[in-house]
């Protein structure tokens, strides 16, 4: 999730002040951003010029901000999930400004019908080239991340900086975007309702999220 969506969760859980966000593209300590890896502005333009379907929602994330060209049912649903609303700005203006600054976003996310996203994915791969990685965080969410950025790499970097053995780490996930994290951790848990790729990468399959699967798995493994 973007940093702004993580603050309340961090405070409620009593976790440390380090937050690894946007699949590892943005790292915060408290309210300070200590690392911000970004997609080239040219890739943002490529995605913007490729997505013409008004039923597909393009969402742009940079540091603490979330931008959309217009609000729709997808942004309203996402707002209810993350706990804050996006800034609405003409996407053409945003692309032009960021090209001038030569500073792109940490992440893009295309939300919409899974079949439409699947049909458009080859054209999107061509539009961004080597400038971004494309990965599903669920069938209706296609994420664009900076090259070499993934959750597994973020875990490896975090543990290396703090000399934490990977054998002492546990990861949980349910979608393809979580696969590198599930593979990197010493012990990994996937949800029963997760993607086939996520379940194949995990050591343990927990019951579905509708069955409090993660809580049950953590109780069994850690308590």
């Amino acid at each position: 999730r973007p940093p702004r969506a993580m603050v309340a969760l961090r405070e409620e859980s009593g976790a440390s002040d380090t937050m690894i966000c946007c699949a590892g593209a943005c790292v915060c300590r408290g309210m300070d951003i200590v690392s911000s890896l970004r997609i080239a502005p040219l890739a943002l333009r490529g995605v913007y010029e490729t997505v013409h379907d008004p039923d597909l929602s393009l969402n742009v994330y940079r540091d603490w901000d979330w931008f959309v060209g217009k609000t729709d049912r997808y942004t309203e649903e996402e707002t209810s999930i993350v706990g804050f609303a996006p800034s609405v700005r003409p996407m053409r203006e945003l692309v032009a400004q960021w090209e001038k600054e030569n500073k792109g976003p940490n992440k893009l996310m295309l939300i919409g019908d899974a079949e439409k996203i699947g049909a458009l994915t080859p054209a999107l791969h061509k539009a961004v080239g080597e400038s971004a990685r494309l990965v599903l965080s669920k069938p209706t969410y296609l994420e664009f991340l900076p090259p070499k950025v993934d959750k597994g790499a973020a875990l490896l970097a975090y543990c290396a900086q703090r000399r934490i053995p990977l054998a002492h780490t546990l990861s949980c996930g349910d979608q393809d975007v979580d696969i590198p994290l599930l593979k990197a951790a010493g012990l990994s848990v996937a949800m029963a309702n997760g993607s086939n790729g996520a379940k194949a990468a995990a050591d343990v399959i927990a019951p579905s999220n509708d069955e409090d699967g993660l809580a049950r798995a953590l109780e069994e493994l850690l308590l």
Side-chain angles (χ1 to χ4, degrees):
R1 292 185 179 184
R4 195 178 302 277
M6 294 299 297
V7 174
L9 296 176
R10 185 197 71 205
E11 292 175 348
E12 288 177 16
S13 66
S16 74
D17 63 354
T18 299
M19 302 189 301
I20 302 174
C21 309
C22 295
C26 186
V27 180
C28 305
R29 188 167 296 121
M31 300 302 291
D32 298 322
I33 293 175
V34 297
S35 175
S36 183
L37 303 175
R38 296 174 177 172
I39 299 168
L42 187 62
L44 171 58
R45 176 173 288 280
V47 174
Y48 164 66
E49 293 181 346
T50 302
V51 179
H52 303 297
D53 191 328
D55 290 330
L56 294 176
S57 178
L58 180 59
N59 298 260
V60 182
Y61 302 87
R62 189 167 82 174
D63 298 338
W64 291 98
D65 298 315
W66 168 25
F67 298 97
V68 295
K70 60 181 178 64
T71 57
D72 52 36
R73 60 191 177 95
Y74 296 117
T75 57
E76 291 174 359
E77 180 179 353
E78 190 66 9
T79 294
S80 69
I81 294 171
V82 301
F84 73 101
S87 298
V88 179
R89 184 166 176 192
M91 199 59 62
R92 183 183 298 275
E93 292 182 8
L94 189 68
V95 170
Q97 178 186 334
W98 287 5
E99 284 181 331
K100 185 176 181 180
E101 297 173 353
N102 195 29
K103 293 181 180 179
N106 300 118
K107 182 178 85 167
L108 307 176
M109 187 161 68
L110 189 63
I111 308 177
D113 178 78
E115 290 186 3
K116 288 186 176 183
I117 288 178
L120 192 59
T121 295
L124 292 168
H125 272 292
K126 184 176 180 180
V128 302
E130 299 297 319
S131 299
R133 293 180 55 248
L134 279 65
V135 61
L136 290 170
S137 52
K138 60 182 181 179
T140 54
Y141 281 37
L142 180 64
E143 298 193 12
F144 301 74
L145 299 168
K148 299 182 180 180
V149 166
D150 62 55
K151 295 184 180 185
L155 175 66
L156 294 174
Y158 183 89
C159 290
Q161 290 172 4
R162 291 157 181 80
R163 298 183 180 180
I164 299 171
L166 285 173
H168 294 179
T169 63
L170 183 150
S171 67
C172 307
D174 63 356
Q175 296 296 333
D176 288 359
V177 71
D178 301 314
I179 290 173
L181 177 65
L182 295 168
K183 289 183 175 180
L187 180 64
S188 56
V189 179
M191 313 309 296
N193 59 300
S195 70
N196 290 333
K199 288 186 285 189
D203 300 306
V204 176
I205 306 299
S208 74
N209 59 328
D210 291 327
E211 302 170 277
D212 295 328
L214 180 56
R216 291 166 59 182
L218 294 179
E219 286 176 353
E220 181 177 338
L221 293 169
L222 300 179
L223 299 180

